[in-house]
Amino acid sequence: HQEGQRDAERERMPFTVTPSSAPDALSYKAIFTHPYFRRMALLGSVHQGGFMAVQTLWAGPWMTQVLGLSIAQASRVLFAFNLCLMLSYLLLSWWAPRHVSYGSQRGWPALRVVGIGISLSILLQLTMLLLPYAWAWLLWLPFALLVTVSTLAQTHVSLSFPSAQAGRVNTAYNLSLFIGAFSVQWGLGLLIDVFVANGWDDSAAIRLAWCVYVLVQCFALFRFVTSKALVITPTGATTTQ
């Protein structure tokens, strides 16, 4: 009965992607080359994947090298940050089903929530770049709250494809996230080394590298907002999201 309800819900989705043939429906190539998937994968790899890189590798150096905190202080701040992040995910899991709309459901359109959350996240990161002071660790707490909305994009992607494709779509999207995480981890380190080699101190080099990452985020957000990728509805009409 629950499976039937899920199938009926998918049929009501106005943004469901209709594959052209059964073989394509099972093909990773068809998924990766779909304009809608590319639009969402770029956003996810840069923002959600990039945040994974920041959380796991670069948050610590930011606290010690940029904000000047001791290792003990940075440890406590990172604990508070990750605690806030966990609570933010719990809050989102309660709020999104009640207030976020997928398809014809009532509520805030999911992609609008994603766009607003990511835009505010970028503005907050710019503020963090301009305020390299010890007390600025407090800015990381609202940052933890805002970055969680990027996960709604993954849900949108999963629901946009037929149920037979959901597994491969999620696998392809997760691969995009890990490619983004690795690229940001490696890219930030490379840029920091380049800036240090050209005479910048560690603090300035980290901030400059992060500036480049913010520019990449702005580009991904711009492509997401302006994308004209077509989405096929069950009636055969085309629209954009």
Side-chain angles (χ1 to χ4, degrees), residues 49-130:
F51 174 72
M52 291 164 57
V54 169
Q55 179 193 13
T56 57
L57 187 61
W58 294 111
W62 182 274
M63 300 301 170
T64 57
Q65 300 296 321
V66 177
L67 303 187
L69 302 180
S70 67
I71 293 178
Q73 290 172 324
S75 298
R76 290 192 290 269
V77 168
L78 291 176
F79 175 81
F81 168 69
N82 284 287
L83 177 62
C84 186
L85 183 66
M86 180 186 69
L87 295 176
S88 298
Y89 279 119
L90 290 175
L91 177 63
L92 184 68
S93 70
W94 174 87
W95 181 79
R98 293 166 173 80
H99 301 286
V100 176
S101 166
Y102 292 94
S104 59
Q105 299 173 350
R106 296 179 59 184
W108 288 52
L111 296 188
R112 182 180 301 174
V113 175
V114 171
I116 292 173
I118 288 178
S119 299
L120 293 175
S121 170
I122 290 175
L123 290 175
L124 185 59
Q125 289 175 74
L126 290 173
T127 304
M128 292 160 56
L129 287 167
L130 294 173

Side-chain angles (χ1 to χ4, degrees), residues 10-201:
R10 289 181 184 277
E11 292 176 359
R12 291 195 296 269
M13 293 290 181
F15 47 76
T16 300
V17 178
T18 303
S20 58
S21 64
D24 285 343
L26 300 176
S27 168
Y28 278 113
K29 179 181 178 181
I31 295 171
F32 278 109
T33 57
H34 196 287
Y36 166 76
F37 182 84
R38 292 202 303 267
R39 171 196 183 194
M40 302 302 292
L42 175 63
L43 186 79
S45 61
V46 171
H47 290 276
Q48 190 176 351
F51 174 72
M52 291 164 57
V54 169
Q55 179 193 13
T56 57
L57 187 61
W58 294 111
W62 182 274
M63 300 301 170
T64 57
Q65 300 296 321
V66 177
L67 303 187
L69 302 180
S70 67
I71 293 178
Q73 290 172 324
S75 298
R76 290 192 290 269
V77 168
L78 291 176
F79 175 81
F81 168 69
N82 284 287
L83 177 62
C84 186
L85 183 66
M86 180 186 69
L87 295 176
S88 298
Y89 279 119
L90 290 175
L91 177 63
L92 184 68
S93 70
W94 174 87
W95 181 79
R98 293 166 173 80
H99 301 286
V100 176
S101 166
Y102 292 94
S104 59
Q105 299 173 350
R106 296 179 59 184
W108 288 52
L111 296 188
R112 182 180 301 174
V113 175
V114 171
I116 292 173
I118 288 178
S119 299
L120 293 175
S121 170
I122 290 175
L123 290 175
L124 185 59
Q125 289 175 74
L126 290 173
T127 304
M128 292 160 56
L129 287 167
L130 294 173
L131 298 173
Y133 308 115
W135 58 266
W137 69 266
L138 292 168
L139 296 174
W140 283 70
L141 302 184
F143 182 45
L145 176 65
L146 292 172
V147 296
T148 59
V149 301
S150 62
T151 59
L152 298 177
Q154 185 167 10
T155 303
H156 193 279
V157 171
S158 178
L159 292 175
S160 295
F161 285 80
S163 58
Q165 266 187 304
R168 290 197 171 190
V169 168
N170 285 328
T171 299
Y173 194 85
N174 286 331
L175 177 61
S176 301
L177 298 187
F178 283 108
I179 291 174
F182 172 78
S183 299
V184 173
Q185 281 185 338
W186 175 79
L188 284 176
L190 178 64
L191 287 172
I192 291 169
D193 288 343
V194 170
F195 290 133
V196 169
N198 283 274
W200 298 88
D201 60 36

Side-chain angles (χ1 to χ4, degrees), residues 35-36 38-40 42-43 111 115 119 217-230 239-241:
Y36 166 76
R38 292 202 303 267
R39 171 196 183 194
M40 302 302 292
L42 175 63
L43 186 79
L111 296 188
S119 299
Q217 292 181 63
C218 291
F219 172 75
L221 180 62
F222 175 79
R223 288 293 302 272
F224 168 73
V225 172
T226 61
S227 173
K228 300 300 181 182
L230 294 179
T239 183
T240 58
Q241 288 287 332

